[in-house]
Amino acid sequence: MSLSNETKFQQIIQGCCQRNRTSQNALYRLFYPYGMSICMRYVNNEAEAISIVNDGFLKVFKNVKKYDSEKPFKPWFRKILVNTAINQLKKQKKFKMEVQMQEANNISTQEDALSRISYQELMALVQSLSLAYRTVFNMYVIDGFKHQEIADKLGITVSTSKSNLTRARAKLQNLVTEKIK
């Protein structure tokens, strides 16, 4: 951000700390698209993503005084959204993550074809994965969680997390291969 934009952003944050509705609205408008891009990776439809984004913003507004203004805002905000998405998914009891490690060992590797499709096409393919595979894939590959963290947050074993990631990658490879044929 430029110095002027950084100053405006700090003013918005200060306003949010004082529970100023105008500042909260400004922050919401500024980061809503980013928030939606995060949440759409975890849920099946836009309505669920909107719900998670709104819940995430409520958490931001309640905890904005804990934000360290010396650090970038986006990673802090992303962590809140990812945790909110995971918590909402857990509440809905949608996880059925039982996958045998023997099944994961039978997956063959294929040629890397990612350079032939667009980001939007790839994200659509990720969205087509089952909820269990998509969640682990997003947390590990995109958001940088470790398998132990994923297991702890989702209430699964580390081996299930690894297995789901392996299966998600294999499924994505198959989908990409089909897409470019």
Side-chain angles (χ1 to χ4, degrees), residues 24 54 136:
Q24 290 174 339
N54 288 336
V136 172

Side-chain angles (χ1 to χ4, degrees), residues 6 9-10 13 66-73:
E6 181 64 32
F9 179 73
Q10 290 304 324
I13 294 295
K66 296 178 184 176
Y67 165 64
D68 180 358
S69 61
E70 298 296 316
K71 296 181 179 175
F73 180 77

Side-chain angles (χ1 to χ4, degrees), residues 104-167:
N105 290 336
N106 296 330
I107 297 170
S108 63
T109 57
Q110 298 179 357
E111 177 184 333
D112 180 24
L114 291 178
S115 60
R116 298 186 196 167
I117 64 173
S118 71
Y119 173 79
Q120 288 80 13
E121 290 171 316
L122 181 58
M123 285 293 96
L125 294 177
V126 170
Q127 281 296 108
S128 73
L129 294 173
S130 72
L131 180 63
Y133 294 166
R134 181 176 65 234
T135 302
V136 172
F137 181 85
N138 281 326
M139 291 179 75
Y140 186 85
V141 174
I142 298 175
D143 293 320
F145 285 88
K146 303 281 187 243
H147 284 293
Q148 184 63 54
E149 294 172 305
I150 295 168
D152 292 344
K153 288 191 177 289
L154 300 181
I156 60 175
T157 65
V158 171
S159 62
T160 300
S161 175
K162 289 178 180 181
S163 176
N164 284 341
L165 177 63
T166 301
R167 294 193 54 97

Side-chain angles (χ1 to χ4, degrees), residues 91-108:
K91 279 185 213 170
Q92 295 172 359
K93 296 181 182 180
K94 289 185 174 181
F95 289 100
K96 292 182 181 165
M97 299 206 174
E98 295 303 317
V99 177
Q100 298 297 323
M101 283 303 289
Q102 294 93 2
E103 293 176 25
N105 290 336
N106 296 330
I107 297 170
S108 63

Side-chain angles (χ1 to χ4, degrees), residues 5-19:
N5 287 343
E6 181 64 32
T7 302
K8 288 178 187 175
F9 179 73
Q10 290 304 324
Q11 289 172 345
I12 290 170
I13 294 295
Q14 285 302 317
C16 289
C17 288
Q18 298 166 0
R19 298 182 188 247

